Amino acid sequence: MRLAKFTDVALRTLMCLAMAKEELLTTRQVAEVVDVPYTHVAKAVARLQHLGLVEARRGRGGGLALTSAGRVASIGGLVRELEGTGDVVECEGEQPCPLAGACRLRGALSRAQEAFHASLDPVRLADLVESPTGPLLLGMVGRAPARVV
């Protein structure tokens, strides 16, 4: 199974914010730390904010922070939400698969996809930022460019 780039950016954004602790980071700072274009991070932040996982404060003292829900969210549930519930393979469409009516592959792939998500269900954000990842991220957050005042 391969995650969409958007899901990857959203997860790395959450990990970065988890290591920032009480410090508020701007979207631009997060983009710098996770080495992703600003527009990609901004789109991920908007979705994470809509899901109630990230709080965005505007203004001079503003920035991004994890919500309490963001700190305890299941990574499996988050990946399901970000990836959607579509099939692993496309059996319909412009050129429908000739096996669609009697195919066993679609069901097997669907079960494998659910097993993938189920294996991520017990994982929380805190698990993702344990050593060695957390200390590395912490160093990167500390090197993020300072706010322009």
Side-chain angles (χ1 to χ4, degrees):
M1 166 122 202
R2 184 178 181 98
L3 295 180
K5 181 73 173 171
F6 178 78
T7 302
D8 176 47
V9 169
L11 292 172
R12 288 197 277 158
T13 297
L14 289 172
M15 292 168 66
C16 182
L17 293 175
M19 291 313 298
K21 305 283 184 204
E22 302 299 317
E23 179 185 355
L24 298 178
L25 297 177
T26 65
T27 303
R28 196 161 308 283
Q29 287 173 310
V30 172
E32 182 77 23
V33 168
V34 299
D35 196 24
V36 174
Y38 169 82
T39 54
H40 295 263
V41 174
K43 183 178 174 185
V45 164
R47 183 71 189 278
L48 293 169
Q49 188 177 6
H50 177 75
L51 294 172
L53 305 175
V54 170
E55 177 185 8
R57 300 177 196 155
R58 293 182 176 255
R60 179 176 276 258
L64 305 172
L66 283 177
T67 64
S68 55
R71 293 196 183 281
V72 299
S74 161
I75 299 302
L78 181 57
V79 168
R80 279 186 193 88
E81 185 69 37
L82 296 173
E83 292 285 316
T85 58
D87 288 328
V88 176
V89 293
E90 187 176 326
C91 299
E92 316 299 323
E94 279 185 37
Q95 292 185 301
C97 176
L99 302 175
C103 182
R104 298 181 65 157
L105 177 62
R106 184 180 196 175
L109 291 174
S110 180
R111 288 188 299 278
Q113 180 182 33
E114 182 48 37
F116 172 78
H117 290 133
S119 72
L120 292 173
D121 282 341
V123 179
R124 302 287 181 248
L125 189 55
D127 300 324
L128 298 181
V129 295
E130 286 180 357
S131 187
T133 306
L136 179 64
L137 264 173
L138 191 57
M140 295 168 75
V141 168
R143 288 193 312 258
R147 278 178 219 261
V148 177
V149 180

